[in-house]
Amino acid sequence: MKKSPTALVVAEPKKPALLKKATQLIESKAKLSFGAKKLANVLVMSAFNDLLKEEKHYIAVSELTQALGIRTNDFAYLEGLAKELSGFQYDYGVLDRAASRKWSYGPLFSNIALDNGVVEFIINPKKRVLLYQPETYALLDLNVQQSFDSGYTLTLYEVCNRFRKVKSTGAIAIEKWKEMLGVPEGGVYDQFKFFNSKILKPSIKSINQNTDLNITMVVDTLGRVVRTIKFEIEEVKRTSPVTEAAPLLSTKTEEESLVLRMKMLGIKVKEARQLVQDYSHDRDYLIGNIEVVETAVEMGKVTSPSGYLIKALKEDYRRITPSLAPKTSRQQELFEAQVEEMKATSAAEVEAAAKLAETAQAAFQSLSEAERSAVIAEFLERNAHARKSYHKDPESPLVKNILSAYLVQRWYPEQSFEVIQGESTTVKG
């Protein structure tokens, strides 16, 4: 009896790992290495769903290294990329600057840390809305960046991808291209022939071979000097090569985030997943006790975070008081009292902020329609970034949040100050 021939197993092409990337970040002046550029993309995508809800974000080293296309044990290289990226000052929106006169400069990541197989990172709070709700953006497949071997190629691809629907980047000054690509100033690249042969041509070739874009460079010269470069863009369908299937880099679900947080506290992944399942009916209970333990760790009050978390879940340390504290050490009792004090202070601050917001909103609503219109006009004058969103939809949650913050932080305090000044003047008179 003949044996059946062994079937040839063909791996599925990688599913797209799409990142909605703000054009201000794409068109930034960022002299970063290729690895750091890829790391920034992966971290932003990993955190995307929770950008406006969480301060800290987590991703497993195994998932991160796979997304970057590096060995899982190459910690020294990963540490170098994190150091390069953490606190790096981006110069945002190079192309948008002349038309809108907007300018922004600052870090994207305020902290990146590696511990126990998990990377913890914090995204600059001032950039979270820009990343989550960009006015203009490009959809990037992060699987594509693994096929490149240069940061210049990655950036050129991102810029061209941003213009794919209009079929052209338009003529852009060569100096702007060099800023966006991160080309070093001075040296051989000041000469176009070297800039072209060493950076542009290899990047164009790589993009045309490895992506669904086909780009063609058009230069405009004055005499023998190249002034502007334009890329004409064509979308093409390419047959994906047979590749080893890789899991899709995904944004974290709440369950995955909780598992990673507990892993940081020393809980084994299998046990952490079981805890998530056990407390699926009361997620606030689990999250609240994890937060208590994380705070204890940050304050250096716990020597065994995993054991402390298990005790916290058994006895519910969210509502703990010194009199109910387990009989451990005096240091532990003091810590738990401090936690309660911190919670009480936090609650009082939240309540005070809510009352202030309510008072400011009531004062605004008590104005006449003409007076409210004047306040709105002043708000838009002081917050140019909100104008387009306001004119598009003045009732959108984003606009309401920005306006509410303005009323509380700027407008209402100014009104209160004017009242006080008026009273002082009357007394003196």
Side-chain angles (χ1 to χ4, degrees):
M1 185 175 177
K2 290 184 179 180
K3 292 183 179 180
S4 301
T6 304
L8 175 62
V9 179
V10 179
E12 291 284 337
K14 291 182 182 180
K15 297 178 182 179
L18 297 179
L19 167 64
K20 185 168 77 173
K21 188 169 182 178
T23 56
Q24 290 96 324
L25 189 56
I26 292 174
E27 298 164 2
S28 65
K29 184 178 179 181
K31 293 183 179 179
L32 289 166
S33 69
F34 180 35
K37 288 181 179 181
K38 291 197 296 181
L39 177 60
N41 282 343
V42 173
L43 293 183
V44 171
M45 180 176 176
S46 175
F48 193 86
N49 284 350
D50 296 323
L51 273 173
L52 303 185
K53 297 182 291 184
E54 302 290 342
E55 177 188 12
K56 295 179 180 179
H57 305 279
Y58 306 89
I59 182 172
V61 168
S62 57
E63 184 178 6
L64 179 57
T65 52
Q66 181 176 355
L68 294 174
I70 62 176
R71 297 188 302 274
T72 56
N73 62 348
D74 204 347
F75 295 117
Y77 177 67
L78 185 60
E79 181 183 355
L81 296 182
K83 286 181 178 179
E84 181 183 359
L85 192 59
S86 183
F88 178 85
Q89 302 287 319
Y90 282 81
D91 193 344
Y92 299 88
V94 169
L95 296 185
D96 190 44
R97 194 164 297 160
S100 65
R101 296 187 180 181
K102 291 181 181 179
W103 179 72
S104 180
Y105 185 80
L108 185 62
F109 300 93
S110 54
N111 186 62
I112 303 175
L114 170 64
D115 185 24
N116 197 25
V118 177
V119 174
E120 175 190 289
F121 59 100
I122 299 174
I123 294 177
N124 183 352
K126 295 182 179 180
K127 298 301 177 186
R128 290 174 190 168
V129 173
L130 166 69
L131 295 178
Y132 190 74
Q133 294 177 316
E135 294 178 359
T136 55
Y137 59 88
L139 281 176
L140 305 173
D141 182 357
L142 296 197
N143 289 320
V144 172
Q145 67 182 15
Q146 288 198 28
S147 65
F148 300 146
D149 57 9
S150 162
Y152 301 133
T153 306
L154 176 58
T155 301
L156 180 59
Y157 165 72
E158 291 184 355
V159 174
C160 289
N161 191 72
R162 174 253 193 280
F163 289 101
R164 69 159 62 214
K165 296 304 179 184
V166 293
K167 309 297 183 185
S168 172
T169 62
I172 298 173
I174 190 171
E175 293 79 12
K176 296 292 184 183
W177 279 115
K178 289 182 178 180
E179 287 182 3
M180 290 187 292
L181 295 174
V183 176
E185 298 174 4
V188 296
Y189 295 135
D190 281 353
Q191 299 180 52
F192 178 75
K193 65 177 181 179
F194 292 113
F195 175 45
N196 185 32
S197 64
K198 300 298 184 182
I199 293 178
L200 295 178
K201 282 186 176 180
S203 295
I204 293 169
K205 181 179 179 181
S206 182
I207 290 169
N208 289 346
Q209 287 180 343
N210 297 300
T211 78
D212 64 346
L213 298 183
N214 197 82
I215 63 174
T216 305
M217 182 172 65
V218 179
V219 299
D220 177 49
T221 60
L222 179 62
R224 300 179 64 180
V225 178
V226 176
R227 297 190 305 172
T228 65
I229 299 174
K230 174 176 68 174
F231 286 94
E232 295 177 348
I233 304 164
E234 178 186 5
E235 295 183 72
V236 294
K237 290 186 178 180
R238 303 190 192 280
T239 303
S240 299
V242 177
T243 56
E244 183 180 349
L248 171 66
L249 173 68
S250 59
T251 48
K252 292 287 166 291
T253 63
E254 182 183 49
E255 290 79 6
E256 290 171 327
S257 295
L258 289 173
V259 168
L260 285 173
R261 289 170 70 177
M262 285 188 279
K263 184 179 178 183
M264 292 280 284
L265 296 173
I267 303 292
K268 293 181 179 179
V269 171
K270 185 177 180 180
E271 295 174 359
R273 293 191 190 282
Q274 185 61 51
L275 287 171
V276 169
Q277 185 176 341
D278 292 343
Y279 290 95
S280 59
H281 63 288
D282 193 356
R283 193 56 53 77
D284 289 342
Y285 184 97
L286 177 61
I287 294 173
N289 280 289
I290 288 174
E291 289 175 348
V292 169
V293 178
E294 287 175 337
T295 302
V297 172
E298 289 177 1
M299 296 177 66
K301 303 297 182 181
V302 176
T303 56
S304 177
S306 58
Y308 192 67
L309 176 59
I310 298 304
K311 291 187 69 174
L313 291 172
K314 286 181 179 178
E315 302 178 27
D316 191 6
Y317 282 10
R318 297 175 304 164
R319 298 186 294 271
I320 200 166
T321 61
S323 60
L324 298 177
K327 301 302 181 181
T328 54
S329 64
R330 174 60 179 165
Q331 183 182 31
Q332 189 66 47
E333 292 176 358
L334 289 173
F335 161 70
E336 287 160 356
Q338 288 175 329
V339 170
E340 285 304 306
E341 184 179 349
M342 288 167 58
K343 287 183 179 179
T345 303
S346 177
E349 290 174 348
V350 170
E351 185 178 355
K355 286 184 178 179
L356 178 58
E358 185 179 341
T359 302
Q361 191 63 235
F364 175 69
Q365 294 299 331
S366 69
L367 301 176
S368 66
E369 185 175 346
E371 289 172 327
R372 286 199 298 271
S373 297
V375 173
I376 294 292
E378 186 176 354
F379 157 70
L380 295 176
E381 180 66 28
R382 291 184 173 183
N383 297 271
H385 62 283
R387 289 177 196 163
K388 186 180 291 187
S389 298
Y390 179 84
H391 291 308
K392 184 184 295 183
D393 182 9
E395 296 299 315
S396 71
L398 174 63
V399 171
K400 285 186 173 181
N401 287 340
I402 299 175
L403 176 59
S404 177
Y406 169 76
L407 293 177
V408 172
Q409 298 171 11
R410 294 289 297 272
W411 177 75
Y412 186 69
E414 289 176 359
Q415 310 312 303
S416 303
F417 179 74
E418 289 175 3
V419 169
I420 293 172
Q421 288 288 84
E423 290 175 352
S424 295
T425 303
T426 303
V427 172
K428 288 182 179 178

